[in-house]
Structures are given as C-alpha cells and as structure tokens.
Amino acid sequence: MLQDQLFEKLIEQAKGHLTWLHLYFQGEPFLNPRFFEMVSLADQNRIFTSTSTNAHYLDKQNIDKVLDSGLKQLIVSMDGITQEIYEKYRIGGKLEKVQEGLTKLLGRRRERNAHYPRVVLQFLVTGQNEQQIPALKDWAKEIGVDELQLKTTQIYDFENGSELIPSNLGYSRYLPNGDGSWRLKKKIENKCWRMWQGAVSTWDGKIVPCCFDKDAKYVMGELANQPLPKIWKSKTYEKFRSQLLNNRQQIDICRNCTE
C-alpha cells in the first residue's frame, strides 16, 4: 500500500479527475494500519474506492470499520469451497475464517441497512477447483454476496501446459495446439485501453503501466520526484504507449495478457 504522504499527495493531485481507486496491488491491504483512513480520505474527495482481500482480517473489530470507512466495493478472493482445495492456491489460508468473516460482514451490513461496500466473491477457476463451482454458487447465494465472479487464471509458462488449466476451456485463457503445447485463447492486438484509463502505483510511489507489471520493471516515473500529471504526459510514458501500439509482442508483460 502506498506510503502515507505519497498517498495524500496523489489524492490531492488526482482528485479533480480520478473516479475509481483500487486500493490493492500484490499484497493484503488490511495489513496497512492506516488502510481505513486512506479509504476515508478518498471517499471524502468523492472517489469510488475498491479493495481486494483474502478476508482473513474481517474480524469483529474491522467489520464496522469497513462499513464506516466509505469503501464502495470489497472483493474477496476465495478459490475453493473446501479447505483441501482452498489451501492448494491460498497456501496457509484458513477457509473457515474467510467464510465466517464474510458472513458476519454481510449480516452486519443488513443490520445497519447499509448498501456499501458491495461485496464481490472472486473465484479463480483452475483445474484443481473447477468441480466445486456448483457448490460455490449455492454458498454464495445462501450468504447473499452481491456478485460472484468466476475468473480465468493467469499462468506463467503456459506454453507447456499446467495442472492449473481447467478442463472446461470456457474458464481458461489458453487453448491446446494439439501437439502438447498451448496458446493464448485471445489474439493479442496492438492496443490496450489501460494505457489511457489508469496506472498503478507501487508502495513506494513508482508509477507502472498496469497490474501485470508485478515487479515494477517498467517505471514511468516516481511520485516522490514528480507530480502525477507530469508523469502521465512524460516522454517515457508516451514512448511506452507508442511501443505498445506498434508491436505489443515486444513488451514481455503484455505477452500473457488478453486485455
């Protein structure tokens, strides 16, 4: 999560045109002791806020804080409906804790007659959990989540196949070639709306093009040294956008992305 002073600087610079703020990137946002203050600051500036969590911190103390913060969307990642399957992907995670916290949050929201945050249950479909989808749908309906998202899974080195690729290819980003190798289902085109719609900031204020740049390889600028509007219109950013429009295959983070 972005450092305090950098976050406040970013909100001040962007509040005139920023409409949707995703408060998560490669980590658990509830570990930040000032997370709820950051949500509230954005909400006070009329910015729609969303976060994604593993839900292990939805305890009694935090549930009311979530409801009071102004958070508009809460995405809960739960990739199994039994502990055995859940922990294959969420290593060390406790499914019972996730389910209990989510159920209590939705119950408390009903008690308060509140509409937010809207709760999205997100399920990454893999070859290990695809058989659990019917049971997942039943449970999601039972506790009253607002939306269930069945997401395809990004797989590194997918070309040689993986046990994570579902047998139901409707839930896969990849297709078999017939010779044991695999390819992306969707053809990569030299375009990407994300380059003009938003950007991602790392915890220390590095601005990168999108969430596929998990290791901050393509740094467009740093908030500690430059204001966001200047970074957005910088030569570095424009060069990256031009390269994408010319030949997206040259950019390694784009080769496994079907946006």
Side-chain angles (χ1 to χ4, degrees):
M1 189 71 74
L2 193 57
Q3 295 172 348
D4 297 344
Q5 291 183 343
L6 291 177
F7 180 77
E8 292 163 6
K9 181 188 294 187
L10 176 61
I11 294 298
E12 184 62 32
Q13 293 173 4
K15 64 183 181 181
H17 54 266
L18 179 60
T19 58
W20 192 309
L21 181 63
H22 298 273
L23 286 162
Y24 58 95
F25 179 55
Q26 301 302 305
E28 172 51 53
F30 280 71
L31 290 175
N32 189 317
R34 291 198 63 203
F35 172 69
F36 296 110
E37 295 176 45
M38 297 166 79
V39 172
S40 294
L41 177 61
D43 185 64
Q44 289 162 18
N45 284 280
R46 302 178 64 82
I47 300 168
F48 186 98
T49 51
S50 173
T51 197
S52 179
T53 177
N54 60 33
H56 280 69
Y57 298 91
L58 286 181
D59 52 27
K60 184 177 180 180
Q61 179 182 1
N62 281 333
I63 283 174
D64 278 322
K65 289 182 180 179
V66 169
L67 295 169
D68 291 335
S69 67
L71 184 70
K72 294 298 186 288
Q73 179 173 267
L74 179 71
I75 302 168
V76 175
S77 299
M78 195 182 87
D79 310 306
I81 198 68
T82 62
Q83 177 62 30
E84 178 186 9
I85 297 299
Y86 175 80
E87 66 186 5
K88 284 181 179 291
Y89 191 81
R90 302 285 169 182
I91 298 172
K94 303 296 181 184
L95 177 63
E96 183 179 4
K97 195 171 186 178
V98 174
Q99 293 179 315
E100 181 181 352
L102 186 52
T103 301
K104 286 182 177 179
L105 171 67
L106 289 165
R108 183 64 175 144
R109 192 184 70 175
R110 286 191 292 269
E111 287 176 9
R112 292 176 50 159
N113 196 29
H115 300 290
Y116 297 105
R118 187 172 184 271
V119 175
V120 178
L121 184 62
Q122 190 174 94
F123 188 87
L124 290 177
V125 182
T126 71
Q128 298 171 335
N129 66 17
E130 60 184 317
Q131 75 280 2
Q132 296 195 328
I133 292 175
L136 172 76
K137 289 180 177 179
D138 289 342
W139 184 79
K141 183 177 180 180
E142 177 186 336
I143 68 166
V145 299
D146 299 294
E147 181 182 349
L148 172 63
Q149 291 183 349
L150 302 177
K151 303 274 286 185
T152 60
T153 304
Q154 180 194 10
I155 299 171
Y156 294 116
D157 301 321
F158 65 85
E159 292 88 352
N160 295 318
S162 167
E163 64 179 4
L164 293 177
I165 298 178
S167 58
N168 183 343
L169 297 179
Y171 295 120
S172 172
R173 297 187 187 187
Y174 313 100
L175 291 175
N177 288 318
D179 59 359
S181 64
W182 292 73
R183 68 182 187 278
L184 278 174
K185 179 186 291 185
K186 186 176 178 182
K187 181 182 178 181
I188 293 180
E189 299 181 32
N190 294 328
K191 61 181 181 179
C192 181
W193 59 273
R194 289 184 180 274
M195 295 304 101
W196 290 268
Q197 181 265 353
V200 171
S201 174
T202 62
W203 67 272
D204 54 353
K206 293 183 176 69
I207 299 298
V208 298
C210 73
C211 60
F212 268 68
D213 193 2
K214 296 176 174 62
D215 298 316
K217 182 176 180 179
Y218 298 93
V219 178
M220 302 293 108
E222 299 191 36
L223 292 173
N225 305 321
Q226 298 171 286
L228 183 60
K230 189 172 182 179
I231 296 173
W232 185 254
K233 296 180 180 180
S234 67
K235 290 183 178 180
T236 301
Y237 224 138
E238 289 303 318
K239 182 179 179 181
F240 185 87
R241 293 186 181 108
S242 296
Q243 184 181 9
L244 185 147
L245 292 174
N246 181 55
N247 187 353
R248 185 170 154 181
Q249 291 282 1
Q250 292 179 348
I251 307 172
D252 57 359
I253 62 171
C254 299
R255 293 185 198 132
N256 194 9
C257 173
T258 55
E259 281 291 357

PDB file of all heavy atoms in Angstrom, residues 139-173:
ATOM      1  N   TRP A 139     -23.421 -21.652  -2.080  1.00  0.00           N
ATOM      2  CA  TRP A 139     -22.983 -20.973  -0.851  1.00  0.00           C
ATOM      3  C   TRP A 139     -23.044 -19.459  -1.003  1.00  0.00           C
ATOM      4  O   TRP A 139     -23.496 -18.752  -0.096  1.00  0.00           O
ATOM      5  CB  TRP A 139     -21.568 -21.409  -0.486  1.00  0.00           C
ATOM      6  CG  TRP A 139     -21.108 -20.826   0.817  1.00  0.00           C
ATOM      7  CD1 TRP A 139     -21.427 -21.263   2.072  1.00  0.00           C
ATOM      8  CD2 TRP A 139     -20.255 -19.689   0.991  1.00  0.00           C
ATOM      9  NE1 TRP A 139     -20.833 -20.473   3.026  1.00  0.00           N
ATOM     10  CE2 TRP A 139     -20.111 -19.501   2.380  1.00  0.00           C
ATOM     11  CE3 TRP A 139     -19.610 -18.821   0.119  1.00  0.00           C
ATOM     12  CZ2 TRP A 139     -19.330 -18.471   2.917  1.00  0.00           C
ATOM     13  CZ3 TRP A 139     -18.839 -17.793   0.651  1.00  0.00           C
ATOM     14  CH2 TRP A 139     -18.707 -17.624   2.031  1.00  0.00           C
ATOM     15  N   ALA A 140     -22.619 -18.950  -2.147  1.00  0.00           N
ATOM     16  CA  ALA A 140     -22.644 -17.509  -2.393  1.00  0.00           C
ATOM     17  C   ALA A 140     -24.070 -16.970  -2.340  1.00  0.00           C
ATOM     18  O   ALA A 140     -24.332 -15.892  -1.789  1.00  0.00           O
ATOM     19  CB  ALA A 140     -22.010 -17.195  -3.747  1.00  0.00           C
ATOM     20  N   LYS A 141     -24.994 -17.728  -2.889  1.00  0.00           N
ATOM     21  CA  LYS A 141     -26.399 -17.313  -2.864  1.00  0.00           C
ATOM     22  C   LYS A 141     -26.944 -17.362  -1.447  1.00  0.00           C
ATOM     23  O   LYS A 141     -27.707 -16.475  -1.021  1.00  0.00           O
ATOM     24  CB  LYS A 141     -27.217 -18.231  -3.783  1.00  0.00           C
ATOM     25  CG  LYS A 141     -28.685 -17.839  -3.896  1.00  0.00           C
ATOM     26  CD  LYS A 141     -29.409 -18.750  -4.877  1.00  0.00           C
ATOM     27  CE  LYS A 141     -30.877 -18.352  -4.995  1.00  0.00           C
ATOM     28  NZ  LYS A 141     -31.596 -19.238  -5.966  1.00  0.00           N
ATOM     29  N   GLU A 142     -26.545 -18.367  -0.705  1.00  0.00           N
ATOM     30  CA  GLU A 142     -27.036 -18.554   0.663  1.00  0.00           C
ATOM     31  C   GLU A 142     -26.649 -17.390   1.570  1.00  0.00           C
ATOM     32  O   GLU A 142     -27.475 -16.906   2.356  1.00  0.00           O
ATOM     33  CB  GLU A 142     -26.480 -19.863   1.228  1.00  0.00           C
ATOM     34  CG  GLU A 142     -26.859 -20.143   2.672  1.00  0.00           C
ATOM     35  CD  GLU A 142     -26.169 -21.378   3.221  1.00  0.00           C
ATOM     36  OE1 GLU A 142     -25.771 -22.249   2.416  1.00  0.00           O
ATOM     37  OE2 GLU A 142     -26.018 -21.475   4.448  1.00  0.00           O
ATOM     38  N   ILE A 143     -25.398 -16.923   1.465  1.00  0.00           N
ATOM     39  CA  ILE A 143     -24.972 -15.849   2.374  1.00  0.00           C
ATOM     40  C   ILE A 143     -25.288 -14.461   1.821  1.00  0.00           C
ATOM     41  O   ILE A 143     -25.223 -13.476   2.540  1.00  0.00           O
ATOM     42  CB  ILE A 143     -23.473 -15.945   2.715  1.00  0.00           C
ATOM     43  CG1 ILE A 143     -22.600 -15.656   1.488  1.00  0.00           C
ATOM     44  CG2 ILE A 143     -23.138 -17.289   3.324  1.00  0.00           C
ATOM     45  CD1 ILE A 143     -21.144 -15.419   1.845  1.00  0.00           C
ATOM     46  N   GLY A 144     -25.619 -14.369   0.528  1.00  0.00           N
ATOM     47  CA  GLY A 144     -26.085 -13.102  -0.031  1.00  0.00           C
ATOM     48  C   GLY A 144     -25.020 -12.159  -0.543  1.00  0.00           C
ATOM     49  O   GLY A 144     -25.153 -10.938  -0.405  1.00  0.00           O
ATOM     50  N   VAL A 145     -23.964 -12.697  -1.177  1.00  0.00           N
ATOM     51  CA  VAL A 145     -22.988 -11.795  -1.797  1.00  0.00           C
ATOM     52  C   VAL A 145     -23.667 -11.073  -2.966  1.00  0.00           C
ATOM     53  O   VAL A 145     -24.631 -11.566  -3.544  1.00  0.00           O
ATOM     54  CB  VAL A 145     -21.722 -12.536  -2.285  1.00  0.00           C
ATOM     55  CG1 VAL A 145     -21.010 -13.215  -1.131  1.00  0.00           C
ATOM     56  CG2 VAL A 145     -22.057 -13.541  -3.363  1.00  0.00           C
ATOM     57  N   ASP A 146     -23.161  -9.907  -3.312  1.00  0.00           N
ATOM     58  CA  ASP A 146     -23.761  -9.118  -4.379  1.00  0.00           C
ATOM     59  C   ASP A 146     -23.410  -9.637  -5.761  1.00  0.00           C
ATOM     60  O   ASP A 146     -24.183  -9.491  -6.705  1.00  0.00           O
ATOM     61  CB  ASP A 146     -23.322  -7.655  -4.254  1.00  0.00           C
ATOM     62  CG  ASP A 146     -23.765  -7.047  -2.934  1.00  0.00           C
ATOM     63  OD1 ASP A 146     -24.982  -6.900  -2.734  1.00  0.00           O
ATOM     64  OD2 ASP A 146     -22.891  -6.749  -2.101  1.00  0.00           O
ATOM     65  N   GLU A 147     -22.219 -10.224  -5.884  1.00  0.00           N
ATOM     66  CA  GLU A 147     -21.784 -10.723  -7.194  1.00  0.00           C
ATOM     67  C   GLU A 147     -20.769 -11.840  -7.003  1.00  0.00           C
ATOM     68  O   GLU A 147     -19.923 -11.781  -6.108  1.00  0.00           O
ATOM     69  CB  GLU A 147     -21.146  -9.585  -8.006  1.00  0.00           C
ATOM     70  CG  GLU A 147     -20.688  -9.979  -9.394  1.00  0.00           C
ATOM     71  CD  GLU A 147     -20.027  -8.835 -10.158  1.00  0.00           C
ATOM     72  OE1 GLU A 147     -20.102  -7.682  -9.684  1.00  0.00           O
ATOM     73  OE2 GLU A 147     -19.448  -9.084 -11.227  1.00  0.00           O
ATOM     74  N   LEU A 148     -20.874 -12.852  -7.839  1.00  0.00           N
ATOM     75  CA  LEU A 148     -19.885 -13.925  -7.881  1.00  0.00           C
ATOM     76  C   LEU A 148     -19.154 -13.836  -9.205  1.00  0.00           C
ATOM     77  O   LEU A 148     -19.770 -13.877 -10.273  1.00  0.00           O
ATOM     78  CB  LEU A 148     -20.555 -15.296  -7.745  1.00  0.00           C
ATOM     79  CG  LEU A 148     -19.656 -16.517  -7.962  1.00  0.00           C
ATOM     80  CD1 LEU A 148     -18.550 -16.567  -6.918  1.00  0.00           C
ATOM     81  CD2 LEU A 148     -20.478 -17.805  -7.943  1.00  0.00           C
ATOM     82  N   GLN A 149     -17.841 -13.698  -9.152  1.00  0.00           N
ATOM     83  CA  GLN A 149     -17.031 -13.619 -10.365  1.00  0.00           C
ATOM     84  C   GLN A 149     -16.185 -14.884 -10.501  1.00  0.00           C
ATOM     85  O   GLN A 149     -15.389 -15.204  -9.624  1.00  0.00           O
ATOM     86  CB  GLN A 149     -16.106 -12.400 -10.330  1.00  0.00           C
ATOM     87  CG  GLN A 149     -16.798 -11.066 -10.437  1.00  0.00           C
ATOM     88  CD  GLN A 149     -15.815  -9.904 -10.481  1.00  0.00           C
ATOM     89  OE1 GLN A 149     -14.616 -10.067 -10.238  1.00  0.00           O
ATOM     90  NE2 GLN A 149     -16.323  -8.722 -10.774  1.00  0.00           N
ATOM     91  N   LEU A 150     -16.381 -15.586 -11.601  1.00  0.00           N
ATOM     92  CA  LEU A 150     -15.544 -16.735 -11.931  1.00  0.00           C
ATOM     93  C   LEU A 150     -14.471 -16.246 -12.890  1.00  0.00           C
ATOM     94  O   LEU A 150     -14.754 -15.898 -14.027  1.00  0.00           O
ATOM     95  CB  LEU A 150     -16.386 -17.838 -12.570  1.00  0.00           C
ATOM     96  CG  LEU A 150     -17.554 -18.359 -11.728  1.00  0.00           C
ATOM     97  CD1 LEU A 150     -18.357 -19.398 -12.501  1.00  0.00           C
ATOM     98  CD2 LEU A 150     -17.056 -18.956 -10.407  1.00  0.00           C
ATOM     99  N   LYS A 151     -13.244 -16.192 -12.398  1.00  0.00           N
ATOM    100  CA  LYS A 151     -12.157 -15.566 -13.145  1.00  0.00           C
ATOM    101  C   LYS A 151     -11.218 -16.605 -13.749  1.00  0.00           C
ATOM    102  O   LYS A 151     -10.940 -17.636 -13.136  1.00  0.00           O
ATOM    103  CB  LYS A 151     -11.344 -14.647 -12.211  1.00  0.00           C
ATOM    104  CG  LYS A 151     -12.162 -13.563 -11.527  1.00  0.00           C
ATOM    105  CD  LYS A 151     -12.300 -12.341 -12.390  1.00  0.00           C
ATOM    106  CE  LYS A 151     -11.010 -11.567 -12.446  1.00  0.00           C
ATOM    107  NZ  LYS A 151     -11.148 -10.296 -13.183  1.00  0.00           N
ATOM    108  N   THR A 152     -10.723 -16.306 -14.935  1.00  0.00           N
ATOM    109  CA  THR A 152      -9.680 -17.145 -15.511  1.00  0.00           C
ATOM    110  C   THR A 152      -8.356 -16.853 -14.807  1.00  0.00           C
ATOM    111  O   THR A 152      -8.140 -15.758 -14.288  1.00  0.00           O
ATOM    112  CB  THR A 152      -9.522 -16.884 -17.019  1.00  0.00           C
ATOM    113  OG1 THR A 152      -9.173 -15.506 -17.233  1.00  0.00           O
ATOM    114  CG2 THR A 152     -10.813 -17.207 -17.758  1.00  0.00           C
ATOM    115  N   THR A 153      -7.492 -17.831 -14.798  1.00  0.00           N
ATOM    116  CA  THR A 153      -6.236 -17.732 -14.056  1.00  0.00           C
ATOM    117  C   THR A 153      -5.068 -17.472 -14.993  1.00  0.00           C
ATOM    118  O   THR A 153      -4.921 -18.147 -16.019  1.00  0.00           O
ATOM    119  CB  THR A 153      -5.970 -19.039 -13.284  1.00  0.00           C
ATOM    120  OG1 THR A 153      -7.086 -19.311 -12.435  1.00  0.00           O
ATOM    121  CG2 THR A 153      -4.708 -18.939 -12.440  1.00  0.00           C
ATOM    122  N   GLN A 154      -4.241 -16.488 -14.626  1.00  0.00           N
ATOM    123  CA  GLN A 154      -3.015 -16.247 -15.390  1.00  0.00           C
ATOM    124  C   GLN A 154      -1.974 -17.285 -14.975  1.00  0.00           C
ATOM    125  O   GLN A 154      -1.726 -17.494 -13.779  1.00  0.00           O
ATOM    126  CB  GLN A 154      -2.465 -14.848 -15.118  1.00  0.00           C
ATOM    127  CG  GLN A 154      -1.183 -14.559 -15.903  1.00  0.00           C
ATOM    128  CD  GLN A 154      -0.438 -13.327 -15.412  1.00  0.00           C
ATOM    129  OE1 GLN A 154      -0.767 -12.772 -14.368  1.00  0.00           O
ATOM    130  NE2 GLN A 154       0.565 -12.911 -16.149  1.00  0.00           N
ATOM    131  N   ILE A 155      -1.368 -17.943 -15.936  1.00  0.00           N
ATOM    132  CA  ILE A 155      -0.395 -18.992 -15.666  1.00  0.00           C
ATOM    133  C   ILE A 155       0.911 -18.653 -16.358  1.00  0.00           C
ATOM    134  O   ILE A 155       0.943 -18.395 -17.569  1.00  0.00           O
ATOM    135  CB  ILE A 155      -0.913 -20.358 -16.159  1.00  0.00           C
ATOM    136  CG1 ILE A 155      -2.210 -20.709 -15.430  1.00  0.00           C
ATOM    137  CG2 ILE A 155       0.135 -21.452 -15.955  1.00  0.00           C
ATOM    138  CD1 ILE A 155      -2.917 -21.917 -15.991  1.00  0.00           C
ATOM    139  N   TYR A 156       1.992 -18.624 -15.603  1.00  0.00           N
ATOM    140  CA  TYR A 156       3.309 -18.406 -16.196  1.00  0.00           C
ATOM    141  C   TYR A 156       3.755 -19.674 -16.934  1.00  0.00           C
ATOM    142  O   TYR A 156       3.439 -20.788 -16.521  1.00  0.00           O
ATOM    143  CB  TYR A 156       4.331 -18.037 -15.123  1.00  0.00           C
ATOM    144  CG  TYR A 156       4.060 -16.707 -14.451  1.00  0.00           C
ATOM    145  CD1 TYR A 156       3.749 -16.638 -13.098  1.00  0.00           C
ATOM    146  CD2 TYR A 156       4.112 -15.522 -15.180  1.00  0.00           C
ATOM    147  CE1 TYR A 156       3.503 -15.416 -12.484  1.00  0.00           C
ATOM    148  CE2 TYR A 156       3.874 -14.299 -14.581  1.00  0.00           C
ATOM    149  CZ  TYR A 156       3.562 -14.250 -13.235  1.00  0.00           C
ATOM    150  OH  TYR A 156       3.306 -13.043 -12.632  1.00  0.00           O
ATOM    151  N   ASP A 157       4.476 -19.507 -18.004  1.00  0.00           N
ATOM    152  CA  ASP A 157       4.985 -20.646 -18.781  1.00  0.00           C
ATOM    153  C   ASP A 157       3.850 -21.589 -19.185  1.00  0.00           C
ATOM    154  O   ASP A 157       3.979 -22.819 -19.115  1.00  0.00           O
ATOM    155  CB  ASP A 157       6.044 -21.414 -17.974  1.00  0.00           C
ATOM    156  CG  ASP A 157       7.216 -20.529 -17.579  1.00  0.00           C
ATOM    157  OD1 ASP A 157       7.629 -19.698 -18.404  1.00  0.00           O
ATOM    158  OD2 ASP A 157       7.707 -20.665 -16.442  1.00  0.00           O
ATOM    159  N   PHE A 158       2.747 -20.998 -19.620  1.00  0.00           N
ATOM    160  CA  PHE A 158       1.577 -21.782 -20.008  1.00  0.00           C
ATOM    161  C   PHE A 158       1.811 -22.606 -21.262  1.00  0.00           C
ATOM    162  O   PHE A 158       1.080 -23.559 -21.534  1.00  0.00           O
ATOM    163  CB  PHE A 158       0.384 -20.847 -20.243  1.00  0.00           C
ATOM    164  CG  PHE A 158       0.574 -19.904 -21.403  1.00  0.00           C
ATOM    165  CD1 PHE A 158       0.270 -20.286 -22.704  1.00  0.00           C
ATOM    166  CD2 PHE A 158       1.091 -18.624 -21.200  1.00  0.00           C
ATOM    167  CE1 PHE A 158       0.451 -19.422 -23.772  1.00  0.00           C
ATOM    168  CE2 PHE A 158       1.285 -17.756 -22.268  1.00  0.00           C
ATOM    169  CZ  PHE A 158       0.971 -18.154 -23.559  1.00  0.00           C
ATOM    170  N   GLU A 159       2.833 -22.247 -22.041  1.00  0.00           N
ATOM    171  CA  GLU A 159       3.058 -22.897 -23.336  1.00  0.00           C
ATOM    172  C   GLU A 159       3.177 -24.423 -23.228  1.00  0.00           C
ATOM    173  O   GLU A 159       2.814 -25.144 -24.156  1.00  0.00           O
ATOM    174  CB  GLU A 159       4.311 -22.332 -24.006  1.00  0.00           C
ATOM    175  CG  GLU A 159       4.191 -20.881 -24.448  1.00  0.00           C
ATOM    176  CD  GLU A 159       4.581 -19.895 -23.348  1.00  0.00           C
ATOM    177  OE1 GLU A 159       4.803 -20.344 -22.195  1.00  0.00           O
ATOM    178  OE2 GLU A 159       4.661 -18.693 -23.631  1.00  0.00           O
ATOM    179  N   ASN A 160       3.693 -24.909 -22.111  1.00  0.00           N
ATOM    180  CA  ASN A 160       3.867 -26.348 -21.933  1.00  0.00           C
ATOM    181  C   ASN A 160       2.740 -26.997 -21.148  1.00  0.00           C
ATOM    182  O   ASN A 160       2.833 -28.174 -20.755  1.00  0.00           O
ATOM    183  CB  ASN A 160       5.210 -26.626 -21.234  1.00  0.00           C
ATOM    184  CG  ASN A 160       6.389 -26.201 -22.098  1.00  0.00           C
ATOM    185  OD1 ASN A 160       6.394 -26.433 -23.301  1.00  0.00           O
ATOM    186  ND2 ASN A 160       7.375 -25.570 -21.481  1.00  0.00           N
ATOM    187  N   GLY A 161       1.672 -26.251 -20.912  1.00  0.00           N
ATOM    188  CA  GLY A 161       0.545 -26.788 -20.169  1.00  0.00           C
ATOM    189  C   GLY A 161       0.758 -26.692 -18.672  1.00  0.00           C
ATOM    190  O   GLY A 161       1.860 -26.421 -18.185  1.00  0.00           O
ATOM    191  N   SER A 162      -0.314 -26.917 -17.908  1.00  0.00           N
ATOM    192  CA  SER A 162      -0.250 -26.832 -16.448  1.00  0.00           C
ATOM    193  C   SER A 162      -1.487 -27.494 -15.860  1.00  0.00           C
ATOM    194  O   SER A 162      -2.565 -27.485 -16.470  1.00  0.00           O
ATOM    195  CB  SER A 162      -0.190 -25.371 -15.999  1.00  0.00           C
ATOM    196  OG  SER A 162      -0.422 -25.246 -14.607  1.00  0.00           O
ATOM    197  N   GLU A 163      -1.338 -28.071 -14.669  1.00  0.00           N
ATOM    198  CA  GLU A 163      -2.486 -28.661 -13.973  1.00  0.00           C
ATOM    199  C   GLU A 163      -3.490 -27.595 -13.546  1.00  0.00           C
ATOM    200  O   GLU A 163      -4.623 -27.906 -13.187  1.00  0.00           O
ATOM    201  CB  GLU A 163      -2.021 -29.451 -12.753  1.00  0.00           C
ATOM    202  CG  GLU A 163      -1.357 -28.608 -11.685  1.00  0.00           C
ATOM    203  CD  GLU A 163      -0.933 -29.418 -10.472  1.00  0.00           C
ATOM    204  OE1 GLU A 163      -1.089 -30.650 -10.490  1.00  0.00           O
ATOM    205  OE2 GLU A 163      -0.449 -28.807  -9.505  1.00  0.00           O
ATOM    206  N   LEU A 164      -3.071 -26.323 -13.608  1.00  0.00           N
ATOM    207  CA  LEU A 164      -3.974 -25.234 -13.247  1.00  0.00           C
ATOM    208  C   LEU A 164      -4.928 -24.867 -14.376  1.00  0.00           C
ATOM    209  O   LEU A 164      -5.902 -24.151 -14.153  1.00  0.00           O
ATOM    210  CB  LEU A 164      -3.162 -24.000 -12.836  1.00  0.00           C
ATOM    211  CG  LEU A 164      -2.340 -24.122 -11.549  1.00  0.00           C
ATOM    212  CD1 LEU A 164      -1.526 -22.844 -11.309  1.00  0.00           C
ATOM    213  CD2 LEU A 164      -3.228 -24.410 -10.351  1.00  0.00           C
ATOM    214  N   ILE A 165      -4.665 -25.330 -15.586  1.00  0.00           N
ATOM    215  CA  ILE A 165      -5.567 -25.048 -16.709  1.00  0.00           C
ATOM    216  C   ILE A 165      -6.814 -25.915 -16.561  1.00  0.00           C
ATOM    217  O   ILE A 165      -6.714 -27.143 -16.497  1.00  0.00           O
ATOM    218  CB  ILE A 165      -4.881 -25.320 -18.060  1.00  0.00           C
ATOM    219  CG1 ILE A 165      -3.664 -24.409 -18.242  1.00  0.00           C
ATOM    220  CG2 ILE A 165      -5.868 -25.104 -19.202  1.00  0.00           C
ATOM    221  CD1 ILE A 165      -2.885 -24.641 -19.531  1.00  0.00           C
ATOM    222  N   PRO A 166      -7.999 -25.308 -16.493  1.00  0.00           N
ATOM    223  CA  PRO A 166      -9.228 -26.096 -16.323  1.00  0.00           C
ATOM    224  C   PRO A 166      -9.505 -26.992 -17.527  1.00  0.00           C
ATOM    225  O   PRO A 166      -9.133 -26.659 -18.660  1.00  0.00           O
ATOM    226  CB  PRO A 166     -10.325 -25.022 -16.197  1.00  0.00           C
ATOM    227  CG  PRO A 166      -9.604 -23.746 -15.884  1.00  0.00           C
ATOM    228  CD  PRO A 166      -8.257 -23.863 -16.534  1.00  0.00           C
ATOM    229  N   SER A 167     -10.165 -28.107 -17.277  1.00  0.00           N
ATOM    230  CA  SER A 167     -10.573 -28.976 -18.387  1.00  0.00           C
ATOM    231  C   SER A 167     -11.706 -28.329 -19.173  1.00  0.00           C
ATOM    232  O   SER A 167     -11.832 -28.542 -20.383  1.00  0.00           O
ATOM    233  CB  SER A 167     -11.008 -30.345 -17.854  1.00  0.00           C
ATOM    234  OG  SER A 167     -12.082 -30.203 -16.930  1.00  0.00           O
ATOM    235  N   ASN A 168     -12.530 -27.542 -18.492  1.00  0.00           N
ATOM    236  CA  ASN A 168     -13.556 -26.746 -19.175  1.00  0.00           C
ATOM    237  C   ASN A 168     -12.869 -25.499 -19.720  1.00  0.00           C
ATOM    238  O   ASN A 168     -12.610 -24.553 -18.984  1.00  0.00           O
ATOM    239  CB  ASN A 168     -14.672 -26.368 -18.203  1.00  0.00           C
ATOM    240  CG  ASN A 168     -15.805 -25.591 -18.878  1.00  0.00           C
ATOM    241  OD1 ASN A 168     -15.642 -25.050 -19.980  1.00  0.00           O
ATOM    242  ND2 ASN A 168     -16.950 -25.531 -18.226  1.00  0.00           N
ATOM    243  N   LEU A 169     -12.584 -25.502 -20.994  1.00  0.00           N
ATOM    244  CA  LEU A 169     -11.806 -24.416 -21.591  1.00  0.00           C
ATOM    245  C   LEU A 169     -12.556 -23.096 -21.634  1.00  0.00           C
ATOM    246  O   LEU A 169     -11.982 -22.063 -21.964  1.00  0.00           O
ATOM    247  CB  LEU A 169     -11.333 -24.812 -22.990  1.00  0.00           C
ATOM    248  CG  LEU A 169     -10.388 -26.015 -23.040  1.00  0.00           C
ATOM    249  CD1 LEU A 169      -9.994 -26.330 -24.472  1.00  0.00           C
ATOM    250  CD2 LEU A 169      -9.148 -25.757 -22.185  1.00  0.00           C
ATOM    251  N   GLY A 170     -13.842 -23.121 -21.287  1.00  0.00           N
ATOM    252  CA  GLY A 170     -14.584 -21.879 -21.158  1.00  0.00           C
ATOM    253  C   GLY A 170     -14.057 -21.027 -20.017  1.00  0.00           C
ATOM    254  O   GLY A 170     -14.250 -19.809 -20.004  1.00  0.00           O
ATOM    255  N   TYR A 171     -13.372 -21.662 -19.070  1.00  0.00           N
ATOM    256  CA  TYR A 171     -12.786 -20.957 -17.928  1.00  0.00           C
ATOM    257  C   TYR A 171     -11.278 -20.775 -18.078  1.00  0.00           C
ATOM    258  O   TYR A 171     -10.583 -20.461 -17.122  1.00  0.00           O
ATOM    259  CB  TYR A 171     -13.065 -21.721 -16.630  1.00  0.00           C
ATOM    260  CG  TYR A 171     -14.526 -21.807 -16.262  1.00  0.00           C
ATOM    261  CD1 TYR A 171     -15.156 -23.044 -16.141  1.00  0.00           C
ATOM    262  CD2 TYR A 171     -15.269 -20.665 -16.012  1.00  0.00           C
ATOM    263  CE1 TYR A 171     -16.497 -23.128 -15.785  1.00  0.00           C
ATOM    264  CE2 TYR A 171     -16.604 -20.735 -15.654  1.00  0.00           C
ATOM    265  CZ  TYR A 171     -17.218 -21.974 -15.546  1.00  0.00           C
ATOM    266  OH  TYR A 171     -18.547 -22.050 -15.198  1.00  0.00           O
ATOM    267  N   SER A 172     -10.756 -21.014 -19.265  1.00  0.00           N
ATOM    268  CA  SER A 172      -9.311 -20.955 -19.495  1.00  0.00           C
ATOM    269  C   SER A 172      -8.934 -19.785 -20.388  1.00  0.00           C
ATOM    270  O   SER A 172      -9.678 -19.425 -21.302  1.00  0.00           O
ATOM    271  CB  SER A 172      -8.846 -22.261 -20.146  1.00  0.00           C
ATOM    272  OG  SER A 172      -7.485 -22.181 -20.547  1.00  0.00           O
ATOM    273  N   ARG A 173      -7.778 -19.204 -20.146  1.00  0.00           N
ATOM    274  CA  ARG A 173      -7.225 -18.186 -21.036  1.00  0.00           C
ATOM    275  C   ARG A 173      -6.460 -18.821 -22.195  1.00  0.00           C
ATOM    276  O   ARG A 173      -5.993 -18.117 -23.084  1.00  0.00           O
ATOM    277  CB  ARG A 173      -6.255 -17.267 -20.281  1.00  0.00           C
ATOM    278  CG  ARG A 173      -6.874 -16.455 -19.175  1.00  0.00           C
ATOM    279  CD  ARG A 173      -5.865 -15.471 -18.613  1.00  0.00           C
ATOM    280  NE  ARG A 173      -6.393 -14.795 -17.432  1.00  0.00           N
ATOM    281  CZ  ARG A 173      -5.797 -13.785 -16.804  1.00  0.00           C
ATOM    282  NH1 ARG A 173      -4.642 -13.324 -17.264  1.00  0.00           N
ATOM    283  NH2 ARG A 173      -6.341 -13.245 -15.736  1.00  0.00           N
TER     284      ARG A 173
END
